């Protein structure tokens, strides 16, 4: 899948991913600080990835962890700082939601600290009954790793 707009492209072609760029960005985020390169590579291998390009250069990313039948989880959404506030994240989220193998799912989830409005525009809501949900959470899992 590939869509184009004003010099920008969103593609699911994994050969377009600049893994070092994705790693550099993610390793400084609040949700994946210190993530090792090898873990980023593994996560890309196991996900449906959406790459945002300006020309041939990667400037954004998102990945969906999914069985492509019943459930999906949206993760690692970002747009490079120089390209923000142009509507690219909104276009990215909409492109993901329109993706053929992500239609008819029973649930599409994500977690965010402060970008709720971005996802609310696409129809996401808070969990209506949070006490029905449980998790195993290991926030320190990347600490004391090499970070390479
Ligand atoms: C969040 C992020 C992807 C938005 O990218 P962007 O291309 O600048 O976003 P857009 O231009 O498409 O606009 C996003 C919309 O969501 C809104 N929004 C809500 N929370 C936001 C947030 N934390 N950051 C940016 N926009 C936010 C904006 O106001 C905008 O709505 P509007 O056009 O009605 O004003 C980008 O700021 C980013 O990469 N941030 C760092 C990584 C991150 O936090 N990712 C999200 C993890 S859940």
């Amino acid at each position: 899948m590939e869509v184009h707009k004003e010099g920008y492209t969103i593609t699911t072609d994994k050969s377009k991913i600049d893994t070092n760029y994705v790693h550099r960005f993610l390793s400084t985020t609040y949700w994946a600080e210190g993530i090792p390169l090898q873990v980023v590579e593994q996560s890309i291998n196991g996900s449906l990835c959406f790459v945002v390009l300006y020309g041939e250069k990667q400037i954004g990313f998102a990945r969906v962890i999914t069985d492509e039948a019943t459930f999906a989880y949206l993760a690692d959404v970002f747009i490079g700082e120089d390209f923000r506030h142009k509507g690219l994240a909104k276009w990215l989220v909409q492109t993901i939601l329109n993706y053929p193998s992500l239609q008819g799912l029973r649930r599409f989830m994500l977690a965010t600290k402060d970008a709720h409005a971005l996802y609310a525009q696409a129809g996401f809501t808070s969990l209506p009954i949070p006490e029905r949900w449980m998790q195993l959470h290991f926030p320190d899992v990347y600490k004391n790793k090499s970070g390479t």
Side-chain angles (χ1 to χ4, degrees), residues 77-79 84-87 89-90 112 114-115 117-119 121:
V77 177
F78 70 85
I79 297 293
R84 290 185 192 163
H85 313 296
K86 297 173 187 290
K90 273 201 266 188
T112 185
D114 58 10
L118 167 64
Y119 304 111
Q121 288 177 13

Side-chain angles (χ1 to χ4, degrees), residues 14-131:
K14 285 187 184 175
S15 74
K16 303 284 182 186
I17 299 175
D18 180 344
T19 310
N20 289 318
Y21 168 73
V22 175
H23 172 246
R24 261 199 318 280
F25 189 92
L26 290 180
S27 61
T28 64
T29 59
Y30 68 84
W31 70 87
E33 189 182 354
I35 189 169
L37 176 60
Q38 177 249 327
V39 177
V40 171
E41 283 168 348
Q42 246 176 286
S43 73
I44 287 170
N45 287 341
S47 302
L48 178 56
C49 295
F50 293 80
V51 191
V52 188
L53 304 168
Y54 183 58
E56 284 296 303
K57 178 185 147 81
Q58 183 172 2
I59 55 108
F61 181 72
R63 67 187 177 93
V64 178
I65 305 148
T66 182
D67 60 9
E68 298 182 79
T70 65
F71 179 82
Y73 187 92
L74 179 58
D76 294 344
V77 177
F78 70 85
I79 297 293
E81 261 183 58
D82 296 347
F83 294 88
R84 290 185 192 163
H85 313 296
K86 297 173 187 290
L88 291 172
K90 273 201 266 188
W91 182 42
L92 176 59
V93 170
Q94 213 47 64
T95 300
I96 291 169
L97 294 182
N98 291 339
Y99 190 73
S101 70
L102 300 177
Q103 305 309 303
L105 305 178
R106 179 160 159 75
R107 186 166 271 122
F108 209 138
M109 295 201 68
L110 63 84
T112 185
K113 185 173 76 172
D114 58 10
H116 302 77
L118 167 64
Y119 304 111
Q121 288 177 13
F124 284 86
T125 65
S126 303
L127 297 178
I129 316 176
E131 59 274 21

